Amino acid sequence: MNFLKLAEKRYSCKKYSDRAIEEDKLQAVLEAGRLAPTAKNLQEQHVYVLQSEGALSKFDQLTPCRYGAGTALMVTYNRNNVYTYPGEKRDSGAEDAAIVATHMILEATEQGLDSCWVNFFDPDQAKEIYGLPEEEEVLMFMDLGYAAKEAGPLPNHRSRKDLSETVSYL
Ligand SMILES: Cc1cc2nc3c(=O)[nH]c(=O)nc-3n(C[C@H](O)[C@H](O)[C@H](O)COP(=O)(O)O)c2cc1C
């Protein structure tokens, strides 16, 4: 699909049907994440596929935002393997993982899947509940599935600021 059409089509789905996602579509989503660029090509991300009852019920303990999705991804990064930028104030961890997640969420749309980016959870609690090592930071979860019949974009989906408000030419 033309990229701008794809970007326009994606929306945050907040109600899923019980139709399972196909394995080849999941693999395409994961491959899109694998192809994402990372600072210094460090590839400090890790993607967990949550599909078992146990993994999904832990997700439900963390957040009300699964919305019935039968699959969720958890994107983490290893904070001991990040690139620290000049000035020493910021590093690549969160943004590299966010680029990976963005690639995956857009490929989900390309595959005809619906999705939602989820950050409404306590990252320390997520680390604990999934038994992750101390150096692994949880960036986000992603609901993946097929929208329920009555689902659709929320009214604010089309409300984007005009470019004149968010872009300046220096
Ligand atoms: C970084 C980020 C975090 C988000 N966290 C949540 C969340 O925890 N729960 C939720 O229902 N939606 C979440 N969303 C979805 C946003 O609310 C949604 O993207 C925004 O309202 C615009 O709607 P749209 O995605 O349909 O265009 C998140 C989106 C982003 C980009």
Side-chain angles (χ1 to χ4, degrees):
M1 195 185 305
N2 166 285
F3 181 72
L4 284 180
K5 289 257 171 302
L6 180 77
E8 220 174 83
K9 191 171 168 217
R10 186 218 55 83
Y11 72 93
S12 296
C13 176
K14 310 217 179 189
K15 191 163 190 188
Y16 295 86
S17 73
D18 54 15
R19 180 178 165 192
I21 67 171
E22 295 80 357
E23 183 57 27
D24 60 323
K25 295 187 176 189
L26 173 62
Q27 290 305 317
V29 168
L30 296 172
E31 177 64 6
R34 191 180 76 86
L35 295 175
T38 55
K40 296 271 183 187
N41 206 15
L42 285 171
Q43 302 175 61
E44 67 269 51
Q45 78 273 11
H46 198 92
V47 181
Y48 295 85
V49 180
L50 316 180
Q51 285 185 320
S52 69
E53 223 174 90
L56 291 171
S57 83
K58 286 177 180 170
F59 184 32
D60 291 338
Q61 289 171 52
L62 291 168
T63 179
C65 299
R66 179 156 70 98
Y67 306 124
T71 298
L73 304 179
M74 171 169 65
V75 180
T76 71
Y77 65 92
N78 179 342
R79 74 167 134 75
N80 289 345
N81 186 33
V82 296
Y83 178 63
T84 301
Y85 304 134
E88 311 281 309
K89 288 207 182 90
R90 292 174 46 221
D91 65 57
S92 62
E95 61 200 308
D96 281 343
I99 295 167
V100 169
T102 304
H103 268 218
M104 293 196 296
I105 214 164
L106 290 169
E107 179 60 24
T109 305
E110 173 70 18
Q111 292 295 326
L113 301 174
D114 296 289
S115 63
C116 187
W117 188 301
V118 174
N119 270 124
F120 187 74
F121 67 92
D122 174 344
D124 289 336
Q125 199 190 348
K127 194 189 283 196
E128 194 187 327
I129 213 166
Y130 287 106
L132 303 180
E134 183 50 31
E135 67 274 14
E136 202 166 342
E137 301 293 341
V138 182
L139 180 89
M140 60 88 74
F141 289 87
M142 187 187 303
D143 299 331
L144 280 179
Y146 287 98
K149 264 198 201 96
E150 64 276 30
L154 294 183
N156 77 354
H157 171 67
R158 302 236 167 268
S159 152
R160 294 290 197 260
K161 290 179 180 175
D162 193 85
L163 277 183
S164 63
E165 291 181 67
T166 58
V167 177
S168 302
Y169 292 77
L170 299 179

